[in-house]
Amino acid sequence: MVEKGKQKAIVIGAGVGGTATAARLAHAGFDVEIYEKNDFSGGRCSLIHHEGYRFDQGPSLLLLPPLFRQLYHDLGTNLEDHIDLVQCNPNYVIHYHDGEKVILSSDRAQLGAEVEQWEGEGGAARLEDFLREAGIHGQLSYDEVLGRPFDTFFAMLRPGVVMNLLKLHPFGSLWGRCARYFKTERMRRAFSFGSMYLGSSPFDAPGTYTLLQWTETCEGIWYPKGGFHSVVQSLVNISESHGAKYHFSTPVSQVIHDSKGRATGIKLEDGTTKEADVVVVNADLVWAHNNLFDKVGGTQGVKKEEKRLLDPRLAERLWNKPHSCSSISFYWALDSTIPSLNAHNIFLAEDYKGSFDDIFKRKGMPREPSFYVNVPSRVDPSAAPEGKDSIVVLVPVGHLHSISKQEEGLRTFANGSSVPNKDTQDWDALVDRARKQVIEVIEGRLGITGFKDKILWEGVNTPQTWKDKFNLTHGSILGITHDFFNVLSFRQQARHPSLKGAYFVGASAHPGTGVPIAIAGSKLCTQAILSDLSIPEPQTYNTFNKKQRNNSLDEIQQFPLLYTLEKILRNSIPIILGSIMTIFGLIIYTMIYGSSPTFIIERDINRFTWQYFRSVFTTGDNEIDLVISIVLAVTAMLCLALKLAPEGEPRWMTEAREAQRQAMLYEKQNTKDMEYQAQFKAQQDWIAKYGNPPTEQS
């Protein structure tokens, strides 16, 4: 029974976005029920077990840790109380086709030395410049994107977005930003492959996503002990502690709504209906619009084949949007360890760009894949029996595309073609080819033999598996892509565009794909629900990262006026120089051609005289002009003084502060001396009057 006055919420799907939203809503006082088609939680963040071996089915590393800490703080607890995080060091070992390897680390000194080894002198400095720009991308994303909705196009005109848009480099590519700072192809590849986490090519992903390299280097790569699913399980536990109920192996067929356009509940595949005030969809967004929402709303028992979609144009538009890649993923239980494999390993194709083009432009299986190898037992021994390794291999491939009206397949090679040109659904052949390529590359680059014979057991996920198991449109493992016209206001927001009381959270909704991003989306979704129902947000939402400043040492100090003026003047220099160059350009143009440019209304060259300029730049009042001239002269001298001044505060200011400190010390010491003298005099007076005090022996 729902408590009187308590709002009822239903969440469809127990993925990371769904469980995080369920926990938030339950913490906010909702009566929450979660319905999941599979018999386990987590979706792609679930685990595969086999005789003591454990594999992360999807994500295997934790990035952007502040988003996780914020989630648990919002729920009134701490991340460390629920998850045992282990930092991975080094971050990655990248293996190249020529046998060389590059080690990426969160140790800046070590990473700088690694870059200089390949880039030569100045490489470490360029690395710091790259990370500085990537840090701006990361901080602006935290402040302006991940924590804010973009319900209308005008939301993109917010001052924080407009003023910082160019700083985010959304119109350039991730590869382009790497090429801006690194000279060698090796380093450009090392710092651009991270786009695979977005399911995008580094040659197409916006430059903003250098933030991935920034968070890996500056915030670290982490692994939750027990597997990534431990994060989801902790959210399940927290939500259940607030009364949430989970229903596994219970697929949903429809979202029910009334004639007024408000969601009123759901209909299960067995025909049972469940009423609710709020319905949150954590299923794949595109699949949901094409399967869960029809015009009838599930109230008249319409057959599935007779469904009429609530918004067929929207459903078709989403279906045709560019989607991220898929993968052939292997889960191998080995009979021994492979010491030369680190926790996170990247094997890059020789034809780096060609392999990405095969995946993202030709929607096929690359001729030579770049792939990722994760060895969870390297950082968490519980992932495999003692002396053995569990290994996950992710081979990116194109997502499924239509090869007939009812079938989707993958593109591969035929007749000796150098690019994917044949549609196929022969998954056994594709898996065999991928397995053979991966084993050959691992053995060749690590200098080992007999790798295949070490595999005791194998699990496999293909694009078709991802589609069938998790209802992922086109088998795309990361949903709709993140190019410029599929983010911010161009992406589906938390609210259903036409159905009140229905909401979305997950990879294809704003703010986007990836576990930490879906967690950020859970807060946006919850805030939208609370706002629509006029329910205040929990107090915990407003206290994250707010330091209690009871000590004077922790008080925020204002920058000295001198440095504030310096910053203003420094930022004004480009505008001043541009104005001067424009004026001189107009004068030169007029002197050469005998007339001013056509965009100047008056084209009489005789006007360009000293008297004319004086009339333009002065008021005509000599006294006022004198005051303005003095102000400008003082400003110019101040600019020159600031330009010539050494870094840091002026010497006179340092000396003045030191003199003040010495005076205070002297005064303090003088006070102590006076107190001591007063005590000594009082003691002498007492002795003179009463004599020496008796000793302990006497």
Side-chain angles (χ1 to χ4, degrees), residues 573-586:
I573 287 174
I575 300 174
I576 295 171
L577 291 178
S579 301
I580 293 173
M581 292 175 64
T582 302
I583 292 172
F584 276 102
L586 292 173

Side-chain angles (χ1 to χ4, degrees), residues 12 76 156 191 376 411 420 471 524 541 620 640:
I12 303 174
M156 296 177 63
F191 286 92
R411 194 157 289 161
N471 290 335
L524 294 177
Y541 280 34
L640 182 61

Side-chain angles (χ1 to χ4, degrees), residues 148-451:
R148 295 172 179 264
F150 286 79
D151 295 318
T152 67
F153 179 79
F154 295 104
M156 296 177 63
L157 301 179
R158 287 196 295 253
V161 177
V162 174
M163 294 176 65
N164 294 300
L165 185 62
L166 295 181
K167 291 182 182 179
L168 287 167
H169 299 97
F171 305 111
S173 68
L174 173 57
W175 175 264
R177 299 321 299 170
C178 292
R180 164 72 174 78
Y181 294 98
F182 300 110
K183 294 181 178 180
T184 63
E185 180 87 0
R186 193 179 302 275
M187 286 297 102
R188 292 173 182 177
R189 294 184 181 190
F191 286 92
S192 66
F193 74 85
S195 65
M196 289 193 295
Y197 298 146
L198 302 171
S200 301
S201 165
F203 301 94
D204 298 322
T208 310
Y209 294 111
T210 58
L211 67 90
L212 293 170
Q213 283 67 41
W214 168 74
T215 186
E216 290 171 352
T217 304
C218 302
E219 296 179 327
I221 289 178
W222 303 81
Y223 183 76
K225 277 194 173 182
F228 210 98
H229 183 260
S230 60
V231 176
V232 178
Q233 187 59 50
S234 72
L235 295 175
V236 171
N237 295 340
I238 292 172
S239 57
E240 286 182 331
S241 71
H242 289 288
K245 299 180 180 65
Y246 284 79
H247 305 274
F248 295 105
S249 302
T250 312
V252 176
S253 64
Q254 287 181 2
V255 174
I256 302 172
H257 58 88
D258 58 26
S259 58
K260 297 180 180 179
R262 172 172 288 279
T264 58
I266 61 171
K267 181 179 180 181
L268 305 180
E269 280 200 350
D270 63 7
T272 306
T273 59
K274 302 289 182 180
E275 294 184 353
D277 301 291
V278 169
V279 177
V280 179
V281 179
N282 182 224
D284 178 77
L285 175 79
V286 182
W287 179 87
H289 275 291
N290 280 273
N291 290 273
L292 294 182
F293 297 95
D294 66 20
K295 285 189 176 181
V296 176
T299 58
Q300 297 182 13
V302 179
K303 295 181 180 179
K304 187 173 182 179
E305 58 271 16
E306 297 175 358
K307 274 188 179 181
R308 291 185 301 158
L309 295 179
L310 179 65
D311 192 341
R313 294 180 62 184
L314 173 61
E316 183 179 8
R317 180 167 59 84
L318 291 172
W319 180 273
N320 292 322
K321 273 185 174 290
H323 278 65
S324 59
C325 67
S326 188
S327 78
I328 294 177
S329 295
F330 295 101
Y331 309 91
W332 289 334
L334 302 189
D335 64 1
S336 60
T337 62
I338 308 295
S340 50
L341 282 176
N342 200 266
H344 305 291
N345 310 267
I346 304 292
F347 293 82
L348 297 180
E350 180 176 3
D351 184 4
Y352 186 68
K353 186 175 187 302
S355 67
F356 283 111
D357 287 345
D358 285 347
I359 296 169
F360 297 100
K361 295 188 183 303
R362 304 178 186 102
K363 305 296 185 292
M365 186 171 179
R367 180 177 63 260
E368 178 195 4
S370 295
F371 58 91
Y372 163 67
V373 177
N374 171 233
V375 189
S377 47
R378 197 66 73 246
V379 290
D380 183 1
S382 66
E386 186 176 356
K388 301 178 181 180
D389 270 340
S390 53
I391 289 184
V392 179
V393 181
L394 189 151
V395 183
V397 298
H399 64 67
L400 299 173
H401 63 276
S402 298
I403 59 178
S404 68
K405 288 186 176 181
Q406 286 81 29
E407 296 179 320
E408 289 188 314
L410 195 65
R411 194 157 289 161
T412 185
F413 304 86
N415 302 322
S417 173
S418 60
V419 297
N421 64 347
K422 175 187 176 183
D423 295 327
T424 181
Q425 287 184 313
D426 189 349
W427 298 113
D428 290 338
L430 292 173
V431 168
D432 287 342
R433 178 168 167 258
R435 183 190 303 109
K436 181 180 178 181
Q437 286 180 314
V438 167
I439 292 174
E440 286 180 352
V441 170
I442 289 178
E443 289 184 338
R445 297 188 188 180
L446 298 183
I448 61 177
T449 57
F451 184 86

